[in-house]
Amino acid sequence: MLENAMGFTDEHLIPLVDEGLGNSAYLVDLGDGRALAVDAARDLRALRTAAAKRGLTVTFAADTHLHADFLTGALQLAHDDGATVLASAAGHRAFPHTALGDGDEVDLGGLTLRALATPGHTDEHLSFLLLDGGRELGVFTGGSLIVGSAARTDLLGADRAEELARAQYRSLQRLTTLPDATAVWPTHGAGSFCSAPPGAERTTTIGAQKAANDLLAAPDEDTFVRALLGSLGSYPAYFDRLGELNRRGPALLTAAPGLDALTPAQVHSLLTEGACLVDARPVAEFAAGHIPGALSNPLRPAFATWIGWLLPPDLPLVVVLGPDQDAAELAWQAAKIGYDRLAGQLAGQLAGGMDAWRADGGPIETIELVTAEKVDTRPVLDVRQDAEFTAGHIPGATHTELGYLAANGQVAADGAVVMCGHGERAMTAASLLAARGVRDLAVLTSGAGDWAKATGRALEDGS
């Protein structure tokens, strides 16, 4: 139990985990009904619920860096709650904030927040050390020190990745001078494309990381840089846009985002005018019948990631949902990464809109679903991430990451089986390929391990 003389315990710190993006925001109860929010996203629903449950008003909103994976909620908190925004002076944000440099302190009313310059993930990155008098309670490390690793340093371009990796090394060395008992509260965690490794733990301590983080065990800066840069995989395309949007300040939301009801005729018209069609129904429902050209992206925690990776942000989105799916959840996921041009959803009484489409005589396409034992001799396209494919894949399978499928031309022949780990990404890939004219595609409803178990054959490893 984290506790100090003023009564601050770990119960005063509320982590708010976004499973889809793999990130954590934090709400800190400062006493007297006041709270500090750290790295809050534009989707403030969980934060507001936690604050209301404890009778808190957010009076400070701190951002550790210009986020690339979500739009900040700090500006919204300033507008709605009167919160003071705390952020790096080096970030040159274009909206009112308290600009902090290395060593600057903010009196939170009993506790103190000290800014520590920890560049690497971004140039202007700050960590925030929470102090009770002279005692270090914990440090919000954002995209600097994370559980088991350090956040990626290539988001400002491959040409700066090594330079920033060296800055990251120095930042981590600085953080490890804090007492071993100091809690570490990172923003990026398992599931984040900011290079967090898999694992259940989202918070840690300085001492635990000194003992277990392989990057901190690197004997010198060059070894650290090679290890960090060698661990970097791909990241969603929208990461290249959000840093600047966060610097300028996201548009304020005057109401919760939502989806208007659209008739089949309105959908026809919007698609003719260039709108993108997203079918968020489960894989089996999409396979059984969908509007030609629709992008399959089942509504789940990872929905926002794939919208941001595969679709442009400046075109209207038309959505198809099932009758039991939450339109508000989809709208919030789109909003947190800046996809605000939601034209609406195809409306219908029985099948979330597809019944109306059929009744209107709209065209329907299907995609075959196959189980592991039915792959047989058909060509296989594996669309998992590089690390997943390298760890084990069906012999002879070709490989293109889903995120790069749109840019890689003809990567699958007619009749191919598309696979991932469970079928969601594979169906997204199949929908892209079908829209490109590839025919007779099938989607494997399970993963490589299921194929090995069903067939008794060994997987191949390596690229």
Side-chain angles (χ1 to χ4, degrees):
M1 176 77 72
L2 175 66
E3 185 170 4
N4 64 25
M6 296 187 64
F8 185 90
T9 72
D10 54 7
E11 294 178 357
H12 290 81
L13 180 93
I14 303 103
L16 304 165
V17 179
D18 184 326
E19 299 289 353
L21 298 183
N23 290 324
S24 296
Y26 298 91
L27 184 69
V28 183
D29 184 347
L30 299 174
D32 299 326
R34 299 172 305 109
L36 161 71
V38 180
D39 286 342
R42 196 186 194 199
D43 180 359
L44 292 167
R45 289 176 298 167
L47 185 145
R48 294 206 183 283
T49 298
K53 181 178 179 180
R54 294 162 178 81
L56 300 174
T57 298
V58 177
T59 52
F60 297 95
D63 271 348
T64 57
H65 59 290
L66 291 166
H67 302 290
D69 43 354
F70 59 86
L71 289 178
T72 178
L75 191 56
Q76 192 76 43
L77 288 168
H79 177 269
D80 295 349
D81 297 33
T84 299
V85 178
L86 309 175
S88 170
H92 304 293
R93 288 162 175 81
F95 53 88
H97 64 286
T98 296
L100 301 175
D102 186 45
D104 287 345
E105 294 186 348
V106 178
D107 181 1
L108 303 178
L111 299 174
T112 300
L113 201 65
R114 179 184 295 162
L116 303 177
T118 46
H121 186 47
T122 65
D123 283 312
E124 43 76 55
H125 192 286
L126 293 179
S127 295
F128 291 107
L129 181 62
L130 187 64
L131 297 156
D132 173 26
R135 183 183 177 193
E136 300 90 348
L137 299 175
V139 58
F140 298 99
T141 56
S144 188
L145 178 62
I146 59 181
V147 178
S149 188
R152 66 189 313 140
T153 62
D154 59 341
L155 297 182
L156 299 181
D159 58 328
R160 297 203 57 211
E162 180 177 340
E163 169 200 347
L164 288 170
R166 294 187 182 279
Q168 188 78 293
Y169 174 80
R170 294 187 290 273
S171 293
L172 266 60
Q173 292 297 306
R174 180 183 190 185
L175 289 170
T176 57
T177 65
L178 293 170
D180 284 356
T182 307
V184 174
W185 303 311
T187 300
H188 301 308
S192 168
F193 279 92
C194 287
S195 74
E201 297 299 321
R202 306 195 76 89
T203 62
T204 182
T205 65
I206 293 293
Q209 288 309 290
K210 286 163 69 173
N213 190 321
D214 288 343
L215 284 177
L216 293 183
D220 53 53
E221 182 175 317
D222 288 340
T223 304
F224 173 94
V225 169
R226 285 194 298 271
L228 179 56
L229 296 182
S231 70
L232 302 180
S234 58
Y235 61 84
Y238 77 91
F239 278 27
D240 293 332
R241 301 189 295 268
L242 291 202
E244 176 59 17
L245 289 179
N246 279 320
R247 190 195 68 79
R248 286 189 268 135
L252 292 171
L253 298 174
T254 57
L259 292 169
D260 293 333
L262 300 173
T263 65
Q266 289 173 313
V267 170
H268 275 296
S269 177
L270 284 162
L271 297 181
T272 299
E273 294 168 2
C276 298
L277 180 61
V278 180
D279 193 320
R281 294 175 299 152
V283 165
E285 294 180 29
F286 183 88
H290 58 269
I291 299 171
L295 175 76
S296 172
N297 184 19
L299 182 57
R300 62 200 194 281
F303 176 86
T305 293
W306 294 110
I307 287 293
W309 207 328
L310 299 171
L311 293 180
D314 54 350
L315 294 178
L317 298 185
V318 175
V319 176
V320 178
L321 286 166
D324 299 322
Q325 290 183 297
D326 187 351
E329 174 62 24
L330 184 149
W332 272 114
Q333 286 211 40
K336 71 184 176 185
I337 62 166
Y339 281 67
D340 292 343
R341 298 193 64 188
L342 300 179
Q345 64 173 316
L346 176 63
Q349 296 299 316
L350 301 177
M354 287 304 295
D355 57 324
W357 183 263
R358 290 185 177 92
D360 195 60
I364 298 289
E365 288 185 352
T366 62
I367 290 180
E368 181 185 5
L369 296 178
V370 296
T371 54
E373 63 274 11
K374 297 293 181 65
V375 172
D376 298 324
T377 59
R378 296 174 71 166
V380 173
L381 172 65
D382 191 323
V383 297
R384 295 177 296 163
Q385 303 302 108
D386 283 344
E388 295 174 275
F389 183 81
T390 300
H393 55 267
I394 293 176
T398 58
H399 176 238
T400 299
E401 284 193 14
L402 172 57
Y404 297 134
L405 197 64
N408 278 1
Q410 189 75 3
V411 297
D414 291 350
V417 174
V418 189
M419 67 164 293
C420 59
H422 303 284
E424 289 92 349
R425 285 175 290 172
M427 187 58 82
T428 301
S431 69
L432 286 169
L433 293 168
R436 205 181 289 171
V438 184
R439 294 300 168 213
D440 300 321
L441 292 166
V443 166
L444 181 61
T445 57
S446 55
D450 301 287
W451 177 87
K453 183 176 180 180
T455 63
R457 297 173 60 189
L459 297 174
E460 289 182 347
D461 56 19
S463 58

